[in-house]
Amino acid sequence: MPALTFTLAPRPPFRLDMTVWALRRRAHNIVDRFDEGVWRRILVIGRSPVAVAVRQTRRGSRPEIEVRVRAARPQAVRAEVASIVTRMLGLERDLSDFYRLARGDARIRELADRIRGMKPVRYATVFEAFANAVACQLVSLSAGMHVLNRLTEACGIAGEVDGATAPMRSFPAASAIARLNPNALRALGLSRQKGEYLIGLARLAIDRKDRDFASIEALGDDDAVARLSTIRGVGRWTAEYVMLRGFGRINIFPGDDVGGRNKLFEWLEVEGEPSYDGVRRALQRWHPYAGLIYLHLIVNGLADDGHFAQSVAG
């Protein structure tokens, strides 16, 4: 298919590697791949696959990324690809107030310096955020990721991405999941109940009156969480997770995320059993950046595991 290359200029500081790892979280993620400094993903625009390969070409005070698009009509989808990549990677998010806060707080300064350049990421769609949440309900992230991979292999759209060693697939569109039955999803590793939840969410996502839960954008945090929590299969953790990773509300830390709050209490060197209320109290001093800290702690753990070189330079 024809290809097109263009550049985008993120607000500094920016590091593609740290930002993409906040998105992919596990090395066996097959939707968002990152190899040799290149993020690769298949997007779906309209009903067609659009292959995207992104590399960082400049760091420092004027960071730049190069976006290579391969599609049937690359020029026709350029603007939408740029919009999706910008939103997913948080390229226009200005974190200067956060870094200013960190400079005056010894506890958070070390974390912010170590992960400097990571932007708050979002999934391509709110439905994808819900799917990630449902797959990981009551199981480990690694186990949930295997289920998401099987879902992608079964229902995603295939495409060839520049530099990829094999064809990739997009994350399944809500329209594809909406047509399934719970038994089909059970064969991929979801319980029947989770399959019912996901199909219900997919059908809501394709509703023309509220495409991809767009009406939530206009609501305040409490009202949005309350609205989302009325959906079958969506409890407080799922609602807060989607608010952060689907809607980009970086002030929201999913307080029922066991792994997340364990990381938080370990980082704070707080003894005792972590709790939802304890998370809220611990993060009050860094309002409104609770969700951003959640993402920092995830990437901090990945840095400990050696997934990328650490640097205080953005």
Side-chain angles (χ1 to χ4, degrees):
M1 286 195 292
L4 170 73
T5 301
F6 61 91
T7 60
L8 295 172
R11 283 181 178 267
F14 178 75
R15 279 188 54 169
L16 179 66
D17 54 354
M18 290 183 175
T19 302
V20 170
W21 272 101
L23 189 65
R24 70 190 311 254
R25 299 158 294 158
R26 289 293 184 269
H28 61 281
N29 181 330
I30 67 169
V31 175
D32 293 291
R33 295 191 173 171
F34 191 77
D35 301 294
E36 298 181 352
V38 181
W39 171 46
R40 296 179 175 89
R41 178 183 249 255
I42 301 288
L43 300 173
V44 177
I45 297 179
R47 296 183 178 181
S48 301
V50 177
V52 176
V54 179
R55 70 174 69 245
Q56 186 158 5
T57 52
R58 190 167 62 213
R59 289 190 184 180
S61 62
R62 296 175 59 201
E64 183 179 84
I65 61 172
E66 178 187 272
V67 182
R68 185 165 178 80
V69 178
R70 192 170 289 279
R73 297 175 60 206
Q75 189 63 47
V77 298
R78 172 178 172 164
E80 191 163 356
V81 170
S83 177
I84 294 170
V85 169
T86 296
R87 183 176 69 252
M88 288 188 70
L89 301 183
L91 301 184
E92 294 181 350
R93 299 298 292 263
D94 184 357
L95 300 181
S96 55
D97 286 345
F98 169 72
Y99 288 119
R100 194 174 299 113
L101 173 69
R103 284 199 299 270
D105 188 307
R107 171 66 68 177
I108 200 172
R109 183 172 59 243
E110 182 180 357
L111 179 66
D113 284 348
R114 188 185 195 204
I115 312 301
R116 186 174 178 82
M118 184 210 73
K119 292 285 192 177
V121 293
R122 297 169 64 172
Y123 292 111
T125 64
V126 175
F127 172 71
E128 186 176 342
F130 270 121
N132 273 263
V134 169
C136 294
Q137 287 172 351
L138 303 176
V139 300
S140 70
L141 174 57
S142 291
M145 189 69 70
H146 283 298
V147 173
L148 292 165
N149 286 346
R150 288 194 289 272
L151 193 66
T152 297
E153 289 169 342
C155 304
I157 299 175
E160 298 281 348
V161 186
D162 281 12
T165 56
M168 293 179 61
R169 288 186 176 270
S170 68
F171 191 83
S175 57
I177 302 301
R179 295 192 296 267
L180 300 179
N181 63 63
N183 288 333
L185 293 178
R186 190 174 182 183
L188 300 176
L190 287 174
S191 67
R192 181 175 182 83
Q193 188 174 53
K194 283 188 178 184
E196 291 174 352
Y197 294 162
L198 189 58
I199 291 167
L201 287 161
R203 290 173 178 170
L204 289 174
I206 63 175
D207 186 336
R208 292 182 181 179
K209 295 179 180 178
D210 191 21
R211 185 76 67 178
D212 201 36
F213 308 92
S215 64
I216 299 296
E217 286 280 8
L219 300 180
D221 295 337
D222 291 343
D223 288 342
V225 169
R227 174 83 68 82
L228 294 175
S229 298
T230 65
I231 301 171
R232 184 168 181 252
V234 178
R236 184 171 65 183
W237 174 76
T238 298
E240 291 183 342
Y241 180 91
V242 170
M243 288 294 287
L244 172 61
R245 286 189 168 270
F247 291 101
R249 305 283 180 99
I250 62 172
N251 57 306
I252 295 180
F253 188 114
D256 291 310
D257 187 312
V258 175
R261 68 190 188 197
N262 285 343
K263 284 185 175 70
L264 174 66
F265 276 57
E266 180 182 352
W267 171 61
L268 293 173
E269 300 177 326
V270 174
E271 296 182 357
E273 188 69 24
S275 68
Y276 183 88
D277 289 338
V279 167
R280 297 191 72 172
R281 287 193 298 269
L283 291 168
Q284 282 177 350
R285 64 194 274 196
W286 298 304
H287 178 79
Y289 299 111
L292 187 59
I293 290 171
Y294 173 89
L295 296 174
H296 271 70
L297 291 172
I298 289 173
V299 176
N300 190 53
L302 294 167
D304 287 342
D305 293 338
H307 287 294
F308 43 79
Q310 299 161 41
S311 171
V312 297

